[in-house]
Amino acid sequence: MDRNRSLSRSLWQAFRRYALLPMIMVELALITIYVVTNQWVTQQTKQELVETALSESTQIAKRQATVVDAQLISVEKQLALYREAIAAVLDDPRITWQGHEQWTQGASGQFFTREALGEDGIAAFYSALTPSPQQNLDRIEQLRMLTPVMRQMVADDSWIQQVYFNTHDSLNVIYPFFDVGSQYAADVDIPKFNFFYLADEKHNPARKPVWTPVYLDPAGQGWMLSVIAPVYKNDSLVGVAGADVTIDKLVNYLTHTQVPWDGFVLLASQSGEILALPERAQQRLDINVPPNDSIKHAKRDETDYQSTNLTEIDGAEELLSLWQGNPDSLQTIALGGMSYIVAWHPVAETDWQVLVLVEEEKLLARTNNIYQQTELLSLILLAGLVIFYLLYFQFVKSRTQRFSQRLNRNLKKLSNALAKTGRQEFELTVPDLEAPELNRLALQITQVAEQLRSNLFSLRKNEARLRFALESSGESLITQSMEYNRVEVTDNFKEISQRSEKVFNLDEYSSWIHPDDREKVQALRLHAQQSRQPLSADYRLQRKDGSYVWVQSRGQVLHDEASGQELIIGTLTDISERKAIEQNLRAAKDAANEANRAKSKLLSSITHEIKTPLTTILGIADILRYKLANVEHRTSLRRLISAAEHLNHLVDDILTLSKLESRALDVSIERVNPHRLIAETIDWFSEILETSETVIQCELLDSPPKLDIDPIRFKQVLTNLLSNAIKYSPNNSKVKVIEAQTEQVYTITVKDEGWGIPPLYRERLFESFNRFGREQTAVEGTGIGLAICRELMNLMGGEVSYQPQEKGSLFILSFPVR
């Protein structure tokens, strides 16, 4: 920022940068959004129109193809009925030739009817290839009987041009009547035409009605296609019935189809030959589709339909390849230099495709016109915006200059008032300024001056108090500047270090720190300066006489606004007495730990020394139990075994407790069924239960979950709980073992009818060597069983808990279900 810039210029520049320019940017952004949105809406509209046109064209193509297909199927069904009628009358001996006068012989040996046989009757023709003696004239008479059927077919279906029947010996019977003598070649060989041989056994083994390709009609009706059906007698082909549909019928129907957006319908064969195309479409595509032809005296099969091919249209090769690969689809394709939306659908009974074409330019004409008008409007808006802001800039600039002159006069008065405050001249008068806001500011400056005077007095007073408090507590205030390599302290530093100086070199002060602590203190200083976090460090500081004293340094990194340097300001405290106490405590703790290890070692040694002879005693006693016959001896032996087992159990508990305290006990986790372990544990108490007449009742689950536990330690825990329940219950009482399970927890509950545990001892229930006031009773015990249970359950991932009862005790073993 240029500090010498005038206020007027600064205000103008600030207004231009922070008000005018953002406004212009917002306006431009809105116009840009408008233009982009308009383009997006236009594109979406175009896309929607194209999709609508594609969908509509597809529906038209499918509908027209379906109509053509339905019409052809209708013709096919009528022909099937006609064939059945022929089969019924053909070779009927009751129907014979009547010698009609219309029947005459031509100059080349052919026979034909000069006039219709009957009113609106049929025409008949026999080729010269069949001599007169071999002609079957009865069939003409038999087919004449079907004239009403043929007449009805032509009358009912506008697509049927003519109905006929051809025989293998080149007899043709056709309705409606025309001059067959002048139209047909005298020696025409009818079986060589596709409307005959396509129905024979070779080409039509299924003997169903079939459609011929487009062919040139020898009857003079031009290009047409026929549906033909064979007529068999005794499995021999007698002839072929047929119905003709001319191409003109299809052309007239399809060229008058109404297509939206000035589109049109085109009918083409699989090879691309155009069968039907409106004249207006021919002009657009710059092609000419010739009119239908006719021929006389045809002797052979003419199936090469001479019409314009799609390949003559620029770009149609792609369209032809697309529909040959996908007979039912839609595309946007360029034809003859114009973009067309094209949809096509096949006519099921033929190899034809019905195509619907719509010019994309005409489809989008209205949308493009609206878009161009919107673009023009955007340019007009932009030009108007530029002119407006040029005039507005000039107006605001002049107003800013006048405003800055007024503001300068008022600011000079405020500056004089602030200068007096800086010189600690706090007796100010409120200047009279030209704006209420500036008058309030001037009043606030006088109030601040008064507050500064009060704060300065309080600051000086508090500084004196702080200095007195530090001197009284024995702490020294210490200020460290790493940038200037300087340390300042207060008077109490002399009591700590025996040095009376108050200012030191930082390197010199660091040299007094014990070598083992120096690097740590320097790292803490650097970390505090970088992280801006409080500093706290205990280290040894060398006194002037060479001895070391423990000190604690606490401080905070602060930025000195006056000098611009980073300072670490804090206190320095002598903590030598505290460090001596801490050292004595550590020594006492080490001694206690050593005594605990010695205790564990002694317990382990003693228990091992006791366990060896106990094992021998129990072994010999077990042998004697089976050999002594004297009842008194056996009673004494049972007491001996009971005492030895109790002692052995006590030794096991002490060994377990010793290992638990030294963290030397490992558990071997297995996946087991708890029922077997519960049964084995209860069985171990059989003699004790017999002596005390106590009953253990089990309420077990039918199919308990398998637990991941140490079987031996599980039995040890359950043994301790059952042992306590039996010992502390009166004779003839009941002890219950109850299983339960939820989705996540499996529990075993041990409930007795004994004395229970007084509330006074429940908080210390699982402490070692705690018998809860039963030490003086006749019940044996050491008070470590429950402590062992808790530690073993923790090692196996479970827990043991106690629930108070009105009578007796209830302990719960809980295991997670996995």
Side-chain angles (χ1 to χ4, degrees):
M1 179 179 177
D2 186 1
R3 297 180 181 272
N4 298 320
R5 187 182 301 154
S6 66
L7 179 61
S8 174
R9 187 176 177 185
S10 298
L11 284 173
W12 163 243
Q13 185 173 2
F15 185 77
R16 184 179 60 194
R17 178 180 300 174
Y18 301 114
L20 296 182
L21 289 180
M23 289 172 60
I24 294 175
M25 296 302 294
V26 170
E27 295 284 354
L28 291 175
L30 291 174
I31 292 177
T32 302
I33 292 172
Y34 170 74
V35 172
V36 172
T37 304
N38 180 54
Q39 290 180 345
W40 181 82
V41 170
T42 303
Q43 291 299 324
Q44 292 297 314
T45 304
K46 288 181 178 180
Q47 183 177 350
E48 185 65 27
L49 278 174
V50 170
E51 291 178 357
T52 302
L54 287 171
S55 175
E56 186 71 19
S57 300
T58 303
Q59 293 299 322
I60 293 173
K62 288 183 178 180
R63 183 170 61 249
Q64 296 305 102
T66 302
V67 169
V68 172
D69 188 44
Q71 192 67 40
L72 296 180
I73 290 174
S74 174
V75 173
E76 185 178 311
K77 290 180 178 179
Q78 292 188 64
L79 181 68
L81 295 173
Y82 175 53
R83 179 177 66 170
E84 292 178 3
I86 292 173
V89 302
L90 204 62
D91 295 336
D92 187 340
R94 297 171 297 175
I95 306 173
T96 58
W97 176 248
Q98 299 298 317
H100 298 281
E101 61 180 9
Q102 295 94 331
W103 186 253
T104 186
Q105 182 177 9
S108 300
Q110 75 273 27
F111 287 84
F112 58 92
T113 54
R114 296 190 310 274
E115 298 176 357
L117 295 181
E119 185 179 354
D120 192 19
I122 62 173
F125 180 90
Y126 239 126
S127 174
L129 297 176
T130 306
S132 178
Q134 298 178 11
Q135 293 177 358
N136 190 343
L137 299 179
D138 292 340
R139 287 180 177 171
I140 299 175
E141 193 69 35
Q142 292 162 358
L143 292 168
R144 189 175 71 86
M145 303 299 294
L146 299 179
T147 301
V149 176
M150 292 186 279
R151 184 184 302 122
Q152 191 67 36
M153 289 175 62
V154 174
D156 289 349
D157 196 324
S158 62
W159 282 48
I160 298 178
Q161 184 72 20
Q162 50 198 14
V163 183
Y164 57 86
F165 180 75
N166 295 315
T167 66
H168 64 88
D169 55 354
S170 295
L171 169 64
N172 172 254
V173 177
I174 191 167
Y175 176 88
F177 173 83
F178 62 90
D179 188 1
V180 293
S182 63
Q183 179 65 34
Y184 290 158
D187 56 348
V188 62
D189 191 356
I190 290 178
K192 291 185 178 179
F193 283 81
N194 68 356
F195 53 75
F196 189 92
Y197 66 74
L198 289 178
D200 62 19
E201 187 71 22
K202 177 181 177 181
H203 295 87
N204 184 16
R207 302 180 180 181
K208 298 188 300 184
V210 294
W211 286 90
T212 69
V214 176
Y215 65 93
L216 193 58
D217 184 19
Q221 299 298 325
W223 292 96
M224 65 172 52
L225 72 159
S226 297
V227 57
I228 55 177
V231 178
Y232 284 84
K233 282 289 186 177
N234 299 323
D235 207 29
S236 176
L237 180 64
V238 176
V240 175
D244 292 340
V245 177
T246 63
I247 294 298
D248 286 341
K249 294 289 185 178
L250 293 172
V251 172
N252 290 334
Y253 172 73
L254 293 175
T255 53
H256 288 85
T257 301
Q258 295 297 319
V259 179
W261 307 288
D262 197 24
F264 54 88
V265 177
L266 182 151
L267 179 67
S269 67
Q270 186 71 13
S271 60
E273 296 292 338
I274 299 177
L275 303 177
L277 184 65
E279 290 185 7
R280 58 189 175 86
Q282 296 179 32
Q283 296 173 1
R284 291 187 205 173
L285 299 175
D286 194 22
I287 59 171
N288 183 31
V289 179
N292 204 355
D293 296 323
S294 62
I295 190 173
K296 287 188 176 184
H297 307 298
K299 293 185 178 182
R300 59 186 178 87
D301 198 7
E302 294 286 346
T303 59
D304 187 12
Y305 180 51
Q306 301 298 322
S307 180
T308 304
N309 196 288
L310 276 174
T311 55
E312 298 180 23
I313 304 173
D314 184 25
E317 294 85 353
E318 179 185 0
L319 174 60
L320 193 59
S321 63
L322 281 173
W323 98 45
Q324 288 174 346
N326 186 358
D328 185 3
S329 186
L330 49 91
Q331 283 288 344
T332 301
I333 296 175
L335 297 175
M338 298 290 290
S339 179
Y340 284 89
I341 295 171
V342 184
W344 60 88
H345 192 77
V347 179
E349 297 297 328
T350 67
D351 66 342
W352 304 340
Q353 292 281 351
V354 175
L355 292 89
V356 177
L357 294 89
V358 176
E359 288 186 35
E360 192 170 8
E361 182 179 351
K362 291 187 177 182
L363 174 68
L364 303 177
R366 178 61 178 166
T367 303
N368 289 331
N369 186 33
I370 294 174
Y371 176 67
Q372 291 171 359
Q373 292 177 358
T374 307
E375 280 191 330
L376 178 61
L377 179 61
S378 301
L379 293 175
I380 294 173
L381 288 174
L382 185 60
L385 186 67
V386 170
I387 295 171
F388 168 77
Y389 275 109
L390 287 175
L391 296 174
Y392 183 61
F393 276 16
Q394 189 62 35
F395 170 75
V396 171
K397 186 175 182 180
S398 63
R399 296 289 297 174
T400 302
Q401 289 175 346
R402 289 198 296 269
F403 175 73
S404 63
Q405 292 171 0
R406 291 179 56 199
L407 189 60
N408 269 329
R409 293 193 298 268
N410 291 278
L411 290 178
K412 188 175 291 184
K413 295 179 182 180
L414 291 175
S415 177
N416 293 334
L418 288 173
K420 289 183 179 180
T421 303
R423 296 192 297 269
Q424 297 187 7
E425 298 177 10
F426 298 115
E427 299 295 335
L428 299 178
T429 58
V430 180
D432 185 19
L433 304 177
E434 299 180 33
E437 293 83 358
L438 295 176
N439 283 324
R440 286 196 294 271
L441 180 61
L443 178 61
Q444 290 174 358
I445 289 174
T446 57
Q447 292 173 348
V448 167
E450 182 64 27
Q451 185 65 39
L452 282 175
R453 181 174 65 177
S454 175
N455 290 345
L456 183 61
F457 174 76
S458 298
L459 181 63
R460 289 172 179 169
K461 181 172 64 175
N462 290 335
E463 183 181 0
R465 289 176 178 175
L466 176 62
R467 187 176 297 277
F468 175 76
L470 289 173
E471 291 175 355
S472 301
S473 64
E475 294 183 353
S476 172
L477 188 66
I478 180 169
T479 303
Q480 305 177 55
S481 172
M482 299 180 71
E483 183 176 355
Y484 290 97
N485 197 28
R486 177 186 176 91
V487 176
E488 295 183 14
V489 296
T490 56
D491 295 338
N492 285 353
F493 185 74
K494 179 179 180 181
E495 301 295 330
I496 298 173
S497 66
Q498 300 177 345
R499 293 178 175 85
S500 57
E501 297 87 354
K502 295 184 179 179
V503 179
F504 307 100
N505 185 283
L506 181 59
D507 293 336
E508 181 184 12
Y509 180 83
S510 298
S511 67
W512 299 337
I513 299 175
H514 194 281
D516 295 342
D517 302 332
R518 192 175 302 150
E519 185 176 350
K520 176 187 72 174
V521 173
Q522 291 174 349
L524 288 172
R525 283 180 192 157
L526 183 61
H527 175 72
Q529 194 171 20
Q530 292 175 347
S531 65
R532 317 289 295 181
Q533 293 181 354
L535 168 69
S536 179
D538 295 350
Y539 56 89
R540 288 162 287 184
L541 186 69
Q542 188 179 39
R543 305 178 74 180
K544 194 171 185 178
D545 60 4
S547 62
Y548 283 94
V549 60
W550 275 97
V551 296
Q552 182 181 63
S553 177
R554 290 177 295 180
Q556 177 71 48
V557 178
L558 299 175
H559 180 74
D560 187 1
E561 297 292 343
S563 63
Q565 60 178 317
E566 299 286 339
L567 301 177
I568 301 177
I569 300 177
T571 60
L572 197 70
T573 308
D574 185 351
I575 58 171
S576 299
E577 292 183 4
R578 193 186 76 187
K579 285 292 182 179
I581 294 172
E582 290 177 357
Q583 186 173 0
N584 293 335
L585 289 175
R586 281 195 296 272
K589 181 180 179 182
D590 292 341
N593 289 337
E594 183 63 30
N596 190 46
R597 285 192 293 271
K599 179 204 73 174
S600 298
K601 186 175 181 181
L602 177 63
L603 284 173
S604 178
S605 176
I606 292 173
T607 52
H608 276 91
E609 290 299 325
I610 294 173
K611 193 167 183 67
T612 300
L614 270 178
T615 303
T616 304
I617 293 170
L618 285 171
I620 295 173
D622 193 50
I623 295 171
L624 292 174
R625 183 171 57 176
Y626 294 101
K627 291 186 176 182
L628 292 176
N630 188 285
V631 175
E632 292 182 0
H633 291 171
R634 289 173 64 88
T635 301
S636 300
L637 185 61
R638 275 199 303 272
R639 293 174 181 170
L640 173 64
I641 292 173
S642 177
E645 287 179 343
H646 173 70
L647 184 59
N648 188 44
H649 184 66
L650 176 62
V651 170
D652 286 340
D653 283 349
I654 293 174
L655 279 173
T656 300
L657 183 63
S658 176
K659 290 180 180 180
L660 289 171
E661 288 180 346
S662 62
R663 300 292 186 267
L665 181 66
D666 294 327
V667 293
S668 179
I669 300 299
E670 298 178 14
R671 195 165 184 82
V672 296
N673 187 321
H675 277 187
R676 177 177 60 83
L677 303 179
I678 294 172
E680 292 176 357
T681 304
I682 294 174
D683 186 62
W684 188 84
F685 285 97
S686 56
E687 292 188 6
I688 299 174
L689 294 172
E690 183 179 350
T691 304
S692 63
E693 297 183 359
T694 300
V695 177
I696 296 180
Q697 294 181 344
C698 295
E699 298 178 11
L700 305 180
L701 299 172
D702 293 334
S703 59
K706 290 190 176 182
L707 305 179
D708 295 327
I709 55 176
D710 185 331
I712 295 176
R713 299 305 174 187
F714 175 86
K715 290 167 62 176
Q716 186 174 358
V717 170
L718 188 57
T719 298
N720 283 342
L721 293 181
L722 288 174
S723 177
N724 286 344
I726 294 170
K727 284 191 300 183
Y728 292 105
S729 295
N731 290 341
N732 298 316
S733 60
K734 296 178 181 178
V735 175
K736 291 186 177 182
V737 177
I738 305 169
E739 274 187 323
Q741 179 187 354
T742 64
E743 290 184 0
Q744 298 179 343
V745 180
Y746 165 81
T747 61
I748 298 176
T749 302
V750 178
K751 182 179 181 181
D752 61 53
E753 299 175 348
W755 305 326
I757 297 174
L760 176 65
Y761 299 105
R762 289 173 185 169
E763 292 184 1
R764 300 165 54 210
L765 184 62
F766 294 101
E767 291 182 2
S768 301
F769 304 106
N770 190 345
R771 295 196 61 199
F772 319 117
R774 308 297 183 187
E775 295 85 351
Q776 305 303 321
T777 65
V779 178
E780 299 172 340
T782 59
I784 62 176
L786 290 179
I788 292 173
C789 288
R790 183 183 63 179
E791 295 298 329
L792 290 179
M793 287 296 290
N794 289 339
L795 288 176
M796 290 188 292
E799 63 177 20
V800 57
S801 58
Y802 170 78
Q803 288 186 3
Q805 303 290 311
E806 292 184 4
K807 180 181 180 182
S809 300
L810 187 147
F811 286 89
I812 301 174
L813 303 178
S814 302
F815 296 92
V817 176
R818 295 182 178 89

